[in-house]
Amino acid sequence: MPKSNLLAGRRALLDGMQGHNFALPDCLQYLFERAGAFGTLDYWNFAALTGDVCAQVYDRGRADGCEYCVSGYLAGPDYLSRVFGALGYAHTYAGRSDIRRVPDAFARRVAQTVDGGLPVLAVTNLHDIPGWESDVGTYCLVVGYDDGGRTLKLNVSGTDTLDCPLDGGCLDLVFLGERQHEVSEREFLLACLRGLPHWLTLPAVGTKRFGAAAFRAWADDIDEGRFADDRLPLWENYGVYVCCLATSGGEPTYLYRKLAGMDPALRPLEPFGSRIQALLPAETPTGGRSLLWVELESLGGGMDMAQVRETMRDRARRGRVSAALRQYADRLEEALALMREAAALV
């Protein structure tokens, strides 16, 4: 076994110019590209499976570096078991305590995996990884190693790597296992569609909220003046949630149309997509920018943090922003009823 290795032919991760702002979907797509599976699926398909483009999130606590998405808020063995199970693959989740107990065994496993041409998924927090410069970070990939696997080479974005000690107690590792059963593109997309009600009704995790509850908690904090406080950093406590909304766009409504066009037996799904789209409109029939995002920009509550700060200092102006969020939450609950009805058909 070599002392060092780095995967050849790597591609960049988290291309923000394409709107790839959530790490887990990109890590999964790349992992399965290397494994030769799910070649017809793209980033947005994986982001629907993980729930990241399905449910808005919001944290009433101060930003802690966790990714602002479903996969960031739920990161851990139970959540990832659901994801890999839906993909039809086994996996091994090694927590920090597991790794520290038998570091040599995991060093060998990392080396064997990389030598076999596959990356290893890492679950961590950017504050625990020296040199990781970003606003948030929960997932990355181990794409190489030194010292026989005792030093990991982490790909956190782009193609550059950061060195991290395997037994430093700063990350968990997830190893891809054998395929348990075949999952077709049709089955994959149906799993995404069935999952929509699940992601949109997740219970709160501490101060973190999901779906309509996220929009309402965000609106409450706006009304209560949280973002008028100059001491609160705005991007990581406000802007990231606009970014979450912007990244999601109209992807969930597209699932209905795509499945209806894929299989005549699923054509009854198409009207559901149209009705949901009418409640949660985006710029184009197949997605594009969420019109809520467009509205927030027009109200001074979008991604320009200097403008947001001014808006939040004015009670009337910030009230218009919170009202837009509450109205959207109400429409989202109407859409949720349709999603449940559609899921019952398949």
Side-chain angles (χ1 to χ4, degrees):
M1 180 185 298
K3 285 288 187 181
S4 301
N5 198 0
L6 186 66
L7 289 177
R10 292 180 292 116
R11 67 158 172 83
L13 292 177
L14 288 173
D15 185 347
M17 296 303 293
Q18 296 188 63
H20 296 179
N21 297 317
F22 307 140
L24 181 60
D26 213 14
C27 289
L28 289 174
Q29 184 185 4
Y30 183 60
L31 174 60
F32 284 103
E33 282 173 12
R34 302 287 304 208
F38 303 113
T40 62
L41 302 175
D42 62 15
Y43 171 90
W44 303 105
N45 297 143
F46 281 98
L49 185 76
T50 62
D52 290 329
V53 294
C54 301
Q56 177 71 25
V57 300
Y58 178 73
D59 191 348
R60 303 200 74 172
R62 287 182 70 98
D64 57 7
C66 169
E67 284 187 43
Y68 49 91
C69 54
V70 168
S71 61
Y73 283 13
L74 298 183
D78 292 342
Y79 168 75
L80 286 169
S81 179
R82 177 188 175 96
V83 171
F84 279 95
L87 291 165
Y89 274 78
H91 71 289
T92 299
Y93 192 105
R96 292 160 174 75
S97 60
D98 301 318
I99 295 168
R100 278 187 152 166
R101 189 165 55 251
V102 283
D104 290 341
F106 283 106
R108 289 192 296 272
R109 186 158 186 180
V110 166
Q112 290 166 355
T113 302
V114 172
D115 292 348
L118 292 179
V120 179
L121 180 66
V123 186
T124 183
N125 183 286
L126 83 163
H127 295 315
D128 296 331
I129 309 295
W132 190 346
E133 297 179 0
S134 181
D135 49 357
V136 294
T138 299
Y139 298 93
C140 58
L141 290 175
V142 179
V143 296
Y145 63 89
D146 286 325
D147 307 320
R150 296 301 293 262
T151 299
L152 309 179
K153 293 193 169 295
L154 305 180
N155 188 175
V156 299
S157 67
T159 56
D160 294 336
T161 61
L162 298 173
D163 285 352
C164 174
L166 170 72
D167 57 357
C170 56
L171 48 72
D172 301 344
L173 295 176
V174 185
F175 299 87
L176 182 64
E178 296 295 323
R179 186 170 65 188
Q180 304 296 296
H181 58 88
E182 185 76 33
V183 175
S184 67
E185 181 179 1
R186 178 184 183 277
E187 291 167 333
F188 181 102
L189 296 176
L190 280 172
C192 294
L193 184 147
R194 295 187 189 105
L196 287 170
H198 171 77
W199 303 125
L200 285 165
T201 57
L202 287 166
V205 177
T207 56
K208 296 174 169 63
R209 304 290 188 273
F210 303 86
F215 285 113
R216 291 187 178 118
W218 189 5
D220 287 345
D221 280 354
I222 290 172
D223 287 340
E224 291 164 12
R226 179 186 184 197
F227 304 108
D229 183 350
D230 288 342
R231 296 168 297 179
L232 183 73
L234 266 186
W235 174 255
E236 54 265 51
N237 290 286
Y238 180 98
V240 292
Y241 304 114
V242 182
C243 191
C244 176
L245 170 67
T247 302
S248 299
E251 181 65 22
T253 62
Y254 180 55
L255 289 171
Y256 298 90
R257 188 174 295 106
K258 186 168 186 178
L259 281 162
M262 181 181 291
D263 182 350
L266 297 176
R267 283 179 187 158
L269 292 176
E270 190 161 11
F272 286 93
S274 299
R275 293 166 67 189
I276 293 167
Q277 176 75 18
L279 290 165
L280 312 173
E283 286 182 310
T284 69
T286 57
R289 293 197 304 169
S290 162
L291 291 190
L292 175 59
W293 175 25
V294 176
E295 183 178 8
L296 291 181
E297 294 290 350
S298 71
L299 294 172
M303 288 199 201
D304 183 333
M305 292 302 101
Q307 187 179 55
V308 168
R309 185 71 80 187
E310 291 303 314
T311 299
M312 295 300 150
R313 288 174 176 148
D314 185 296
R315 187 180 296 273
R317 290 173 64 191
R318 76 187 188 217
R320 288 190 282 272
V321 174
S322 65
L325 296 177
R326 293 186 199 283
Q327 289 163 10
Y328 194 86
D330 291 343
R331 296 198 305 273
L332 181 57
E333 289 191 334
E334 291 184 55
L336 175 60
L338 292 171
M339 293 174 188
R340 284 174 166 151
E341 189 178 343
L345 296 177
V346 294

